[in-house]
């Protein structure tokens, strides 16, 4: 009989949690009052009963012990437990207020939840370690076959081979034989039903690029009578990397593979709110420093205080970027030229200091405030250089999907670029940002930028 012990996991989980809950309740009472008999008497007897009823209702409604093997991980188990605990605490708090049970010891309740959490987490982690080891040894496994041979089929097999703790045992590929795959197949489509019956197959993975709808329909129709699962594998990896999303038209799922970035609330709203607040703070609190920088820039070399230049922003839209002038006037008479680093003789002595400390970038908080830029994001470039970069690294176009920033990973790790090759090298760092951007990641980049400014290591 397949998985004859698997059916025991659910009741065992329920029983252990109830034992842990009650042991914690009684144990906390003993620790608080140094007695055990009164816990079964009013008023604590009623609270004890409510504790168990609330937990039982949670189990019946939320079904917290039902999850696939792929999600049988420590973080998933603990997360579900903490959600259950939070709901339980909320309901008990409502009960406490409803019955005006102010005579219940808060310390007892706190210790109860701490003990219960400790016991429940210990059981889950212990059970997780045991089951992973048990399944890695070949027990309690699920047998599967893959229908339709190709790269996607090989990928799913390698995934389970690399994770024996999940307990999936591979029993062959099935497809129409060809010169490329016939030595790898266990059989063809006609051999599949007999193999499922003979080997007790639990799951049939069907690779959509390699199987037609007629054969798929037949496999699905036979699944109920023979008792096996059918799972579809569709290779969306290339699309999802570009920010695809799934839309539902009634019951029909539609994959949106537009290259447009998803309208993410966190990015479009929270990030913009942070940019505005941070820029206002930087311009407001930094106004005395801005005035001093402006005065020194004016008296150390002839020319305007600020330098404005056209850059390309989000979606290829041009905008004017503002900096404190760090070069002598008319440094690009013959056309666009990249800075040759801090040793470039076009840079003024004062400008060299501002570049090392990144103080020349301060006026760009105005660009952030009006929405052209963000505090954190890939550095914007001129169209003249973008055209040359794209010839070498076409992936640069992906950076135009996000708003450019004052500081970036490339600025921290690489700094100013003196030629196209160096711009491409810096690009390798900035390409990490669209995939990893988050509030915490932005905070890390800002902290690293402040460190570079304080140490004067800008280059």
């Amino acid at each position: 009989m397949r998985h004859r012990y698997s059916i025991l996991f659910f009741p065992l989980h329920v029983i252990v949690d109830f034992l842990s809950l009650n042991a914690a309740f009684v144990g906390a009472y003993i620790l608080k009052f140094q007695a055990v008999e009164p816990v079964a008497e009013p008023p604590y007897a009623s609270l004890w009963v409510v504790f168990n009823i609330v937990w039982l209702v949670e189990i019946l409604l939320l079904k917290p012990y039902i999850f696939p093997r792929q999600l049988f991980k420590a973080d998933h188990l603990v997360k579900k437990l903490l959600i259950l605990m939070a709901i339980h605490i909320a309901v008990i708090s409502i009960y406490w207020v409803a019955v005006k049970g102010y005579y219940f010891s808060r310390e007892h309740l706190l210790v109860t939840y701490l003990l219960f959490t400790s016991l429940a987490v210990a059981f889950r982690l212990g059970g997780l370690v045991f089951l992973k080891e048990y399944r890695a040894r070949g027990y309690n496994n699920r047998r599967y076959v893959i229908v339709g041979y190709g790269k996607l089929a090989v990928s799913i097999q390698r995934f389970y081979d690399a994770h024996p703790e999940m307990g999936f045992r591979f029993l062959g590929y099935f497809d129409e034989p060809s010169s490329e795959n016939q030595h790898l197949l266990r059989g063809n489509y006609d051999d599949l039903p007999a193999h499922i019956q003979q080997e007790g197959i639990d799951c049939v993975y069907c690779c959509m690029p390699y199987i037609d709808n007629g054969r798929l329909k037949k496999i699905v129709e036979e699944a109920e009578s023979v008792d096996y699962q059918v799972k579809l594998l569709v290779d969306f990896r290339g699309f999802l990397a570009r920010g695809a999303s799934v839309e539902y038209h009634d019951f029909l799922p539609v994959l949106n593979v537009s290259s447009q970035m998803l309208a993410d609330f966190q990015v479009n709203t929270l990030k913009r709110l942070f940019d505005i607040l941070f820029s206002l703070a930087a311009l407001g609190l930094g106004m005395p420093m801005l005035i001093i920088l402006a005065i020194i820039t004016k008296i150390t070399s002839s020319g305007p205080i600020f330098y404005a230049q056209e850059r390309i922003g989000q979606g290829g839209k041009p905008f004017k970027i503002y900096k404190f002038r760090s070069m002598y006037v008319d440094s690009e008479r013959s056309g666009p030229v990249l800075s040759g680093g801090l040793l470039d003789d076009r840079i003024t002595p004062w400008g060299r200091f501002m570049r090392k400390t990144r103080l020349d970038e301060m006026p760009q908080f105005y660009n952030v405030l009006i929405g052209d830029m963000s505090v954190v994001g890939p550095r914007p470039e001129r169209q003249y250089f973008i055209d040359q970069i794209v010839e070498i690294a076409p992936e640069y176009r992906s950076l135009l999907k996000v708003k450019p920033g004052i500081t970036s990973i490339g600025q921290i790790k690489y700094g100013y670029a003196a030629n196209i090759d160096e711009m491409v090298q810096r690009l390798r760092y900035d390409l990490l940002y669209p995939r990893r951007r988050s509030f915490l990641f932005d905070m890390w980049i800002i902290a690293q930028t402040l460190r570079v400014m304080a140490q004067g290591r800008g280059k």
Side-chain angles (χ1 to χ4, degrees):
M1 182 179 178
R2 289 180 290 164
H3 326 304
R4 59 185 182 275
Y5 301 120
S6 295
I7 197 173
L8 300 177
F9 291 161
F10 177 80
L12 178 63
H13 211 155
V14 173
I15 291 171
V16 171
D17 270 358
F18 269 106
L19 289 175
S20 300
L21 179 66
N22 288 278
F25 190 91
V26 176
Y29 190 91
I30 294 173
L31 289 174
K32 173 61 180 176
F33 300 107
Q34 286 77 48
V36 64
E37 291 84 2
V39 73
E41 301 172 357
Y44 274 89
S46 60
L47 180 61
W48 192 1
V49 171
V50 172
F51 254 71
N52 284 273
I53 292 175
V54 172
W55 192 259
L56 177 62
V57 172
E58 284 190 78
I59 292 173
L60 295 176
L61 293 179
L62 302 179
K63 299 178 175 60
Y65 307 132
I66 301 175
F67 38 76
R69 295 189 179 206
Q70 291 82 355
L71 293 179
F72 195 65
K73 301 176 182 178
D75 58 341
H76 185 76
L77 294 175
V78 173
K79 180 180 177 181
K80 275 203 167 185
L81 172 64
L82 294 179
I83 292 173
L84 290 175
M85 293 287 292
I87 296 173
H88 195 276
I89 291 172
V91 175
I92 292 299
S93 299
I94 294 172
Y95 169 78
W96 189 0
V97 173
V99 300
K100 298 181 179 179
Y102 306 115
Y103 40 81
F104 292 127
S105 169
R106 297 179 184 180
E107 184 180 346
H108 168 257
L109 292 174
L110 175 62
V111 174
T112 297
Y113 282 116
L114 290 176
L115 288 175
F116 180 38
T117 302
S118 301
L119 291 171
V121 168
F123 166 70
R124 282 160 172 77
L125 296 183
L128 177 66
V129 172
F130 170 77
L131 275 178
K132 283 189 173 183
E133 181 65 24
Y134 188 66
R135 288 167 176 168
R137 293 176 181 271
Y139 301 104
N140 187 237
N141 58 66
R142 294 192 181 276
R143 303 175 179 186
Y144 74 99
V145 296
I146 301 176
V147 180
Y149 180 79
K151 290 183 179 179
L152 190 59
V154 173
S155 296
I156 191 65
Q157 185 208 342
R158 287 178 178 173
F159 172 78
Y160 284 128
D161 287 347
H163 296 87
E165 72 279 2
M166 289 187 178
F168 281 81
R169 181 182 173 191
F170 177 60
L171 291 177
Y173 296 110
F174 287 82
D175 202 344
E176 288 298 332
S178 67
S179 58
E180 297 180 358
N181 66 20
Q182 59 183 357
H183 63 290
L184 298 170
L185 300 181
R186 188 68 176 263
N188 57 31
Y189 289 104
D190 295 332
D191 300 324
L192 180 61
H195 185 75
I196 291 174
Q197 291 275 15
Q198 181 180 347
E199 297 293 341
I201 299 300
D202 301 290
C203 186
V204 177
Y205 283 91
C206 297
C207 297
M208 291 302 291
Y210 324 119
I211 182 174
D212 60 66
N213 288 338
R215 297 186 189 278
L216 175 61
K217 182 179 179 181
K218 184 178 179 181
I219 293 172
V220 173
E221 289 174 346
E222 293 176 350
E224 290 188 13
S225 59
V226 184
D227 189 24
Y228 60 85
Q229 291 182 323
V230 178
K231 297 188 178 182
L232 304 183
L233 283 172
V234 184
D235 195 355
F236 290 147
R237 290 171 295 182
F239 300 123
L240 295 178
R242 295 198 295 266
S245 60
V246 177
E247 302 170 352
Y248 285 91
H249 298 183
D250 196 5
F251 62 89
L252 185 66
V254 177
L255 184 67
N256 178 9
V257 295
S258 170
S259 60
Q260 182 180 0
M261 291 295 274
L262 298 179
D264 184 85
F265 174 79
Q266 182 180 5
V267 173
N268 293 342
T269 304
L270 296 183
K271 185 175 173 66
R272 179 59 185 150
L273 178 61
F274 170 79
D275 284 343
I276 293 173
L277 295 176
F278 194 91
S279 298
L280 287 173
L283 293 173
L285 298 177
M287 187 57 67
M289 179 184 290
L290 289 170
I291 294 173
I292 294 173
L293 292 174
I295 294 173
I296 298 176
T297 301
K298 185 64 178 178
I299 64 177
T300 53
S301 64
S302 62
I305 295 173
F306 299 104
Y307 175 69
Q309 189 180 73
E310 184 178 279
R311 297 289 176 94
I312 303 302
Q314 188 176 23
K317 180 181 177 181
F319 70 97
K320 289 286 185 180
I321 192 173
Y322 297 97
K323 297 183 177 185
F324 282 119
R325 181 178 53 81
S326 60
M327 288 187 174
Y328 293 106
V329 177
D330 296 330
S331 294
E332 290 188 333
R333 290 180 179 178
S334 58
V337 180
L338 286 168
S339 168
L342 294 177
L343 298 179
D344 192 328
D345 57 11
R346 296 175 302 158
I347 302 175
T348 67
W350 170 244
R352 191 168 287 110
F353 170 79
M354 287 198 296
R355 286 188 169 219
K356 289 182 68 175
T357 56
R358 300 285 168 81
L359 293 174
D360 61 320
E361 313 279 0
M362 288 287 287
Q364 289 168 36
F365 283 111
Y366 171 73
N367 288 112
V368 175
L369 204 57
I370 64 177
D372 290 332
M373 295 175 65
S374 178
V375 175
V376 178
R379 289 296 295 168
E381 297 294 346
R382 286 180 275 182
Q383 189 65 56
Y384 176 83
F385 296 117
I386 290 176
D387 293 339
Q388 298 179 61
I389 294 172
V390 169
E391 290 182 7
I392 303 173
E395 60 270 28
Y396 178 86
R397 292 191 182 94
S398 66
L399 293 184
L400 297 178
K401 299 175 184 177
V402 297
K403 191 173 291 188
I406 296 177
T407 186
S408 68
I409 311 175
Q411 284 289 90
I412 296 169
K413 298 294 186 180
Y414 198 89
Y416 294 103
N419 53 56
I420 296 299
D421 289 336
E422 290 187 0
M423 293 179 82
V424 172
Q425 292 179 40
R426 186 176 64 187
L427 166 68
R428 306 302 178 192
Y429 293 104
D430 283 338
L431 283 171
L432 297 172
Y433 183 72
R435 297 194 297 269
R436 297 178 58 186
R437 59 179 179 165
S438 67
F439 180 76
L440 291 178
F441 193 44
D442 282 4
M443 292 301 99
W444 179 84
I445 293 175
I446 291 172
Q448 294 301 311
T449 303
L450 293 174
R451 179 175 60 83
V452 169
M453 292 176 66
Q455 295 175 350
R457 294 195 299 106
K459 58 179 182 177

